[in-house]
């Protein structure tokens, strides 16, 4: 069964009905999703809030049933062979507060390992090793309730990997963490895959840079649909045929006009209040529209402080696909 | 070589029992609720009986019943309503994705609760006996152990069943546990022989294992208990064993069904998890 993909879905659909008719309407969280994730891949799922990322991971981790369609993990049907699926997976979510606050870090990790039937001696050794790798060894005997957010999330990630799953699902694993803690977790994920080339990581994220840096392939998802699915490089190439332009100008009065400019594929802006600048970013079909944009900016009485043609980022791809930015 | 299914599930049971036992040691404030609070109720009943010049055993029954309330509270709040808390913290979904029998997780919860509560109940019994000068007269310690164990397994088996039935509840779990607390003190005869309620009520209340357990313990701790007995010790032991089996089977099936229902409706986890 070596050729089985780690994850395969066919027209996977999940619908949530409201509990009572008058409390809102039906939500189509996943709409006919077809995915194939190979063994050994680090696969990213990128999408705005409410896109259906968590719903997808819950189905793959046997916590939720599909409304229709099929999902296979390690070649096993999540609906009927969930017990066998559970032998091969684990899951970690960002901001998790799992475990018991009055247990120590070591005790908590040990407890969860016991649900996987791992021999205590083996589990405790692994826990020790991993606490070391995450720089958490000094917190080994600290009560879980005394941990900081970052320390806690490192512990959660250890909980997921300590059972040595074939496929691990990470739902926004670095949510709300500082640069250091995120880096430790990202590095661990990459090293883990390097050491175990047959293992698979499926992660969702809000952070473009994270997806770009980590993932072999990325699926961009919005409103329950997969809009694109490819390597970060190839995704960026899709917009590289376009021109990406960024511009810092003194405060603009009207930004809305640029959305409708001929030749503009996508447009975003941020205000830099401190410097009194507006930062504009355009993805354009070709360069012919640049002069129109420049004159429109000058026409509003703004000054152009800088103007650059740039390489497309994943964010540009995302904006082009989803029609809006993430943050 | 990989370990067998039984060994793996025993590890799961031990894993889940651990925080309960450790918790009881690290959170001594629970002692107050489970040891000291029952003594107030015990005292109130004891003084009424003393004032009425009632038979001495009655005060003994009250102390015994007071000690056993710890188990009832433990089953209602730390078994039945437990998954409600566990869902909030995200533990429930981690139990669910684990490749172990869910019954092992529940059994671990039960075992841990049983062990820590036994210490508290025994403390209540000893302190109560000291304060009210109760003389126990245990003639058949083997039967006592058998009855106690059967009562525990049946009672916590019921707790396991409730835990799975409560699994998809939100705050309703709370209200239901509140609702069940006091009527059972009456119906199960925590502070008087259940026979007093009449055979029909006593038989109905016997669905709650603590009813038969208490009735049998009264007979085993006090010589006069035989006169006040609802059923014979042998019958009660047999019925308790029956209840053990019944609740285990019901717990197993309700757990399976509720898990399926939770997966179908999306209520196994909270939306934002
Ligand atoms: N149990 C549920 N009951 C009803 N609706 C739900 C449930 N779970 C999710 N939804 C809805 O399904 C849609 C997708 O939610 P999901 O949690 O999968 O999004 P997400 O991509 O993970 O978003 P976020 O980035 O905010 O975590 C949302 O509209 C959400 O409100
Ligand atoms: Mg989510």
């Amino acid at each position: 069964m070596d050729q089985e993909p780690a994850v395969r879905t066919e027209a996977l659909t999940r619908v949530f009905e409201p509990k009572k008719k008058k409390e809102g309407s039906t939500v189509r969280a996943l709409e006919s999703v077809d995915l194939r994730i190979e063994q050994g891949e680090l696969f990213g799922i990128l999408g705005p809030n409410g896109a259906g990322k968590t719903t997808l991971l819950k189905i793959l981790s046997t916590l939720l049933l599909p409304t229709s369609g099929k999902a296979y993990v390690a070649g096993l049907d999540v609906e009927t062979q969930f017990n066998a699926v559970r032998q091969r997976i684990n899951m970690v979510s960002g901001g998790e507060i799992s475990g018991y606050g009055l247990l120590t870090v070591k005790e908590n990790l040990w407890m969860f390992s016991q649900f996987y039937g791992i021999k205590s001696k083996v589990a405790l050794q692994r826990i020790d090793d991993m606490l070391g790798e995450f720089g958490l060894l000094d917190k080994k005997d600290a009560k879980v309730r005394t941990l900081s957010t970052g320390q806690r999330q490192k512990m959660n990630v250890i909980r997921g990997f300590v059972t040595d799953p074939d496929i691990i699902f990470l739902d926004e694993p670095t949510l709300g963490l500082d640069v250091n803690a995120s880096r430790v977790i990202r590095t661990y994920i990459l090293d883990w895959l390097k050491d175990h080339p047959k293992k698979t990581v499926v992660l969702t994220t809000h952070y473009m840079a994270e997806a770009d840096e980590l993932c072999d392939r990325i699926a961009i998802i919005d409103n329950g649909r997969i809009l694109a699915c490819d390597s970060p490089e190839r995704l960026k190439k899709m917009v590289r045929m376009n021109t990406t332009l960024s511009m810092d100008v003194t405060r603009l009065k009207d930004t809305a006009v640029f959305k409708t400019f001929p030749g503009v594929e996508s447009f975003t802006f941020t205000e830099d209040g401190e410097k009194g600048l507006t930062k504009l970013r355009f993805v354009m079909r070709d360069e012919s529209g640049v002069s129109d944009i420049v004159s429109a900016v000058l026409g509003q009485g703004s000054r152009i402080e800088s103007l650059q043609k740039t390489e497309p980022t994943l964010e540009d791809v995302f904006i082009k696909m989803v029609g809006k930015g993430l943050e | 070589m990989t370990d067998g299914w039984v060994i793996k599930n025993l590890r799961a049971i031990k894993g889940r029992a651990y925080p309960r036992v450790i918790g009881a040691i690290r959170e001594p404030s629970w002692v107050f609720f489970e040891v000291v609070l029952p003594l107030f109720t015990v005292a109130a009943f004891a003084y009424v009986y003393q004032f009425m010049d009632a038979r001495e055993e009655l005060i003994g029954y009250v102390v015994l019943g007071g000690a056993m309330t710890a188990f009832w509270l433990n089953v209602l709040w730390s078994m039945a309503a437990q998954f409600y808390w566990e869902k909030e913290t995200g533990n429930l979904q981690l139990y669910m994705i684990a490749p172990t029998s869910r019954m092992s997780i529940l059994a671990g919860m039960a075992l841990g609760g049983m062990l820590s509560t036994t210490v508290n109940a025994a403390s209540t019994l000893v302190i109560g006996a000291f304060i009210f000068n109760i003389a126990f007269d245990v003639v058949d310690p083997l039967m006592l152990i058998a009855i106690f164990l059967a009562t525990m397994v049946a009672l916590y088996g019921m707790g396991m069943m409730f835990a799975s039935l409560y699994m998809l509840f939100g705050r309703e779990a709370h209200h239901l546990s509140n609702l069940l607390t006091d009527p059972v003190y009456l119906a199960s005869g925590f502070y008087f022989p259940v026979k007093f309620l009449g055979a029909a009520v006593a038989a109905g209340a016997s669905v709650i294992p603590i009813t038969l357990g208490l009735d049998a313990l009264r007979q085993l701790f006090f010589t006069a208990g035989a006169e006040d007995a609802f059923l014979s010790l042998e019958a009660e032991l047999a019925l308790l064993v029956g209840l053990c089996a019944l609740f285990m089977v019901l717990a197993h099936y309700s757990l399976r069904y509720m898990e399926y229902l939770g997966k179908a409706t999306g209520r196994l986890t909270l939306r934002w998890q």
Side-chain angles (χ1 to χ4, degrees):
Chain A
M1 283 308 222
D2 243 10
Q3 298 314 307
E4 259 321 319
V7 171
R8 184 159 57 88
T9 71
E10 289 166 6
L12 185 65
T13 301
R14 174 69 214 201
V15 178
F16 290 107
E17 300 291 351
K19 247 198 216 161
K20 292 184 197 118
K21 274 279 171 323
K22 46 182 187 280
E23 287 173 18
S25 53
T26 308
V27 177
R28 307 193 69 85
L30 290 176
E31 189 75 65
S32 200
V33 168
D34 292 305
L35 257 188
R36 194 186 157 99
I37 302 173
E38 302 301 336
Q39 288 181 26
E41 267 196 302
L42 205 174
F43 192 89
I45 299 166
L46 197 60
N49 290 131
K53 305 182 293 294
T54 300
T55 303
L56 178 59
L57 288 203
K58 279 184 188 168
I59 291 177
L60 295 178
S61 56
T62 75
L63 286 171
L64 190 66
L65 291 177
T67 305
S68 66
K70 286 277 172 197
Y72 301 91
V73 171
L76 301 158
D77 189 334
V78 295
E79 213 166 327
T80 55
Q81 297 171 291
F82 51 88
N83 279 324
V85 171
R86 288 168 179 164
Q87 312 267 359
R88 292 163 175 79
I89 62 164
N90 209 331
M91 178 173 70
V92 179
S93 312
E96 227 181 82
I97 48 161
S98 59
Y100 299 98
L102 47 75
L103 294 188
T104 66
V105 170
K106 183 184 74 182
E107 288 169 334
N108 243 299
L109 290 168
W110 169 81
M111 180 188 78
F112 281 112
S113 77
Q114 293 312 289
F115 305 146
Y116 289 74
I118 301 170
K119 206 170 164 177
S120 282
K121 222 176 110 190
V122 176
L124 289 172
Q125 183 59 53
R126 277 191 210 163
I127 289 165
D128 249 17
D129 294 346
M130 290 184 71
L131 285 172
E133 287 181 72
F134 279 82
L136 218 54
L137 215 44
D138 58 328
K139 291 287 169 191
K140 181 174 156 180
D141 296 313
K143 300 263 169 59
V144 167
R145 62 173 166 222
T146 66
L147 297 183
S148 73
T149 315
Q151 291 161 345
R152 181 150 205 152
Q153 187 59 7
K154 284 181 187 170
M155 180 190 76
N156 294 336
V157 173
I158 295 175
R159 175 186 60 66
F161 282 99
V162 89
T163 62
D164 194 30
D166 291 337
I167 302 160
I168 188 160
F169 299 104
L170 305 172
D171 195 3
E172 312 201 30
T174 59
L175 186 72
L177 301 189
D178 68 17
V179 187
N180 268 325
S182 307
R183 204 197 51 234
V184 171
I185 291 174
R186 286 173 195 163
T187 308
Y188 185 85
I189 296 173
L190 287 172
D191 289 346
W192 188 72
L193 278 175
K194 219 177 286 159
D195 294 342
H196 307 90
K198 282 273 171 209
K199 304 220 179 224
T200 311
V201 176
V202 181
L203 71 84
T204 73
T205 181
H206 260 103
Y207 304 122
M208 294 286 176
E210 180 167 277
D212 201 354
E213 176 195 327
L214 285 181
C215 299
D216 299 317
R217 281 196 306 145
I218 293 168
I220 294 179
I221 180 173
D222 188 32
N223 281 322
R225 291 175 188 276
I226 307 264
L227 302 179
C229 179
D230 218 326
S231 66
E233 293 70 36
R234 300 255 292 269
L235 285 172
K236 281 185 267 186
K237 231 176 242 160
M238 284 166 50
V239 273
R240 193 166 291 142
M241 313 203 197
N242 311 76
T243 301
T244 320
L245 191 72
S246 45
M247 213 187 279
D248 290 357
V249 304
T250 53
R251 183 79 39 78
L252 272 180
K253 289 184 204 71
D254 180 13
T255 46
V257 292
F258 297 108
K259 285 226 166 80
T260 55
F261 252 63
V264 171
E265 289 253 321
S266 80
F267 162 69
T268 50
F269 71 96
T270 49
E271 301 281 358
D272 184 340
E274 232 166 81
K275 296 189 185 137
L277 291 178
T278 309
K279 292 173 173 296
L280 309 175
R281 191 166 172 86
F282 297 91
V283 177
M284 304 194 310
R285 264 193 289 283
D286 50 53
E287 288 174 27
S288 66
V290 176
S291 62
D292 287 346
I293 291 173
V294 169
S295 23
V297 170
L298 296 174
Q300 286 195 33
S302 290
R303 229 167 351 109
I304 297 176
E305 298 274 311
S306 78
L307 180 124
Q308 263 175 313
K309 234 185 101 176
T310 53
E311 280 294 295
T313 64
L314 210 49
E315 178 123 29
D316 295 318
V317 182
F318 189 87
I319 291 163
K320 183 175 163 173
M321 294 286 168
V322 179
K324 58 177 192 269
L326 260 185
E327 259 81 36
Chain B
M1 204 190 80
T2 58
D3 299 306
W5 185 87
V6 175
I7 298 281
K8 285 188 168 182
N9 277 279
L10 284 176
R11 288 189 183 131
I13 293 175
K14 187 170 135 202
R16 185 57 190 88
Y18 184 77
R20 291 247 144 139
V21 176
I22 288 295
I25 297 167
R26 290 193 190 151
E27 291 275 312
S29 65
W30 293 355
V31 170
F32 177 76
F33 291 101
E34 290 198 346
V35 178
V36 181
L37 284 187
L39 283 171
F40 284 104
T41 316
V42 167
F45 280 102
Y47 290 137
V48 171
Y49 283 144
Q50 274 179 352
F51 181 75
M52 297 184 339
D53 262 337
R55 282 187 287 137
E56 213 169 88
E57 311 83 67
L58 283 171
I59 299 172
Y61 297 169
V62 166
V63 173
L64 181 64
M68 296 296 279
T69 55
F71 291 108
W72 180 238
L73 289 175
N74 189 248
V75 162
L76 279 184
W77 294 103
S78 300
M79 289 295 295
Q82 181 68 17
F83 278 169
Y84 164 73
W85 308 112
E86 306 268 34
K87 200 182 334 189
E88 300 268 303
T89 59
N91 286 340
L92 183 63
Q93 55 176 318
L94 298 180
Y95 297 152
M96 287 299 154
I97 65 164
T100 183
S101 160
R102 278 97 261 285
M103 284 294 278
S104 300
I105 306 266
L106 280 177
M109 251 162 69
L111 188 68
M114 221 183 281
L115 289 175
S116 52
T117 307
T118 300
V119 174
N120 292 345
S123 312
T124 308
L125 195 65
V126 170
I127 299 171
F130 176 75
I131 297 175
F132 297 102
N133 205 7
I134 311 290
F136 296 115
D137 186 14
V138 181
V139 274
D140 192 348
L142 228 59
M143 189 64 161
L144 180 70
I145 292 169
I147 287 281
F148 180 74
L149 286 181
T151 307
M152 285 300 114
V153 175
L155 181 65
Y156 278 84
M158 189 176 77
M160 287 163 71
M161 182 191 74
F162 274 143
S164 36
L165 289 177
Y166 276 35
M167 193 153 72
L168 302 186
F169 286 4
R171 288 206 66 77
E172 301 95 312
H174 230 80
H175 301 320
L176 204 58
S177 275
N178 254 329
L179 199 69
L180 280 172
T181 311
D182 290 304
V184 169
Y185 286 158
L186 173 69
S188 289
F190 271 83
Y191 301 109
F192 56 87
V194 72
K195 189 173 138 187
F196 184 76
L197 292 175
V201 177
S206 295
V207 179
I208 295 160
I210 215 155
T211 310
L212 292 174
L214 268 171
D215 198 68
L217 290 177
R218 277 190 290 262
Q219 304 182 50
L220 286 158
F221 272 121
F222 306 98
T223 336
E227 298 162 38
D228 298 323
F230 167 51
L231 297 172
S232 75
L233 281 174
E234 290 71 22
E236 288 180 334
L237 183 60
L239 285 171
L240 282 169
V241 170
L243 286 177
C244 292
L246 176 73
F247 284 124
M248 287 301 165
V249 170
L250 288 178
H252 172 77
Y253 283 104
S254 59
L255 194 53
R256 227 166 62 168
Y257 178 67
M258 295 314 267
E259 183 184 348
Y260 166 77
L261 204 64
K263 280 162 70 172
T265 58
R267 280 187 292 155
L268 215 49
T269 52
L270 294 178
R271 196 184 289 202
W272 55 85
Q273 282 168 346

